[in-house]
Amino acid sequence: MQILFRRRNHKEEHFERLFAEMYPRLVRFATTLMSNTEEAKDIVSETMEQAWKEFDQLKENTRSAWLYATVRNGCLNRLKHLNVEQQHIDRLIEATRAEMNQGYRAHEALLQQAENIARSLPEPTCTILRSCYWEKKTYQQVADELGISPDTVKKHISKALRTLREAILKKEDKQ
């Protein structure tokens, strides 16, 4: 039992020396590969944990090389993973832009259709609709300009909106 305890203490001492000597070097090495100190520390910590688990199998004269190779491979794997993530993000952005452009084009087409229908309305309905919706005037302002009552303006707006709605629905039914 005491031999096992000494052997364990001996292993811990060797590992502590290895850790103290190699950890800062490995972090600097990983940082040059990753350009991110926190990522580098994570990779080196994972490597040191793996080294502890496999410490008995690692030959003393190759431990340093094994640590550097394992850190390098960990960095390369992480960079590959980050690259794949970035590709997914780029595809998502591209798809979102395409969808937004498609929605924008459909919206613009609908607005153009509404404008064409509005232009074909008889006077004074066409003028009243343009004044209220495009020029953002109140019913009272339009009524004062045209010398009619606000209720008449409201009736013309109702008539115009009904005509627009029916025309747009008719075109949608055809498609």
Side-chain angles (χ1 to χ4, degrees), residues 124-125 128-129 132 139 148-163:
T125 306
I128 292 171
L129 182 69
C132 288
Y139 289 0
I148 57 176
S149 75
D151 284 338
T152 304
V153 171
K154 187 175 181 179
K155 287 177 187 174
H156 281 283
I157 290 294
S158 294
K159 176 182 169 187
L161 294 177
R162 184 176 48 257
T163 304

Side-chain angles (χ1 to χ4, degrees), residues 100-126:
M100 287 174 61
N101 285 340
Q102 181 67 24
Y104 175 75
R105 283 192 287 272
H107 180 73
E108 283 297 312
L110 187 61
L111 284 177
Q112 186 62 47
Q113 182 183 357
E115 281 183 41
N116 292 338
I117 295 166
R119 276 192 221 108
S120 70
L121 292 172
E123 286 299 334
T125 306
C126 181

Side-chain angles (χ1 to χ4, degrees), residues 18 21-22 25-26 29 47-48 51 58-74:
L18 178 72
E21 176 187 340
M22 296 302 297
R25 293 179 188 177
L26 293 170
F29 174 65
T47 299
M48 295 307 276
L58 296 174
K59 295 180 183 171
E60 193 169 337
N61 60 341
T62 61
R63 284 179 185 152
S64 178
W66 182 89
L67 287 168
Y68 275 103
T70 304
V71 166
R72 183 196 69 227
N73 292 340

Side-chain angles (χ1 to χ4, degrees), residues 16-63:
E16 284 176 12
R17 278 197 303 270
L18 178 72
F19 186 91
E21 176 187 340
M22 296 302 297
Y23 184 83
R25 293 179 188 177
L26 293 170
V27 168
R28 280 192 301 275
F29 174 65
T31 300
T32 61
L33 296 174
M34 296 297 298
S35 300
N36 181 323
T37 304
E38 293 307 311
E39 287 274 359
K41 286 179 180 179
D42 288 346
I43 292 167
V44 172
S45 294
E46 291 168 8
T47 299
M48 295 307 276
E49 181 181 346
Q50 188 179 350
W52 172 251
K53 290 176 183 174
E54 299 178 22
F55 194 72
D56 293 331
Q57 289 81 31
L58 296 174
K59 295 180 183 171
E60 193 169 337
N61 60 341
T62 61
R63 284 179 185 152

Side-chain angles (χ1 to χ4, degrees), residues 1-14:
M1 179 80 163
Q2 205 167 21
I3 294 172
L4 266 176
F5 182 70
R6 273 192 227 135
R7 182 173 157 81
R8 181 149 176 85
N9 278 343
H10 183 69
K11 176 185 171 185
E12 287 176 8
E13 287 173 13
H14 277 305

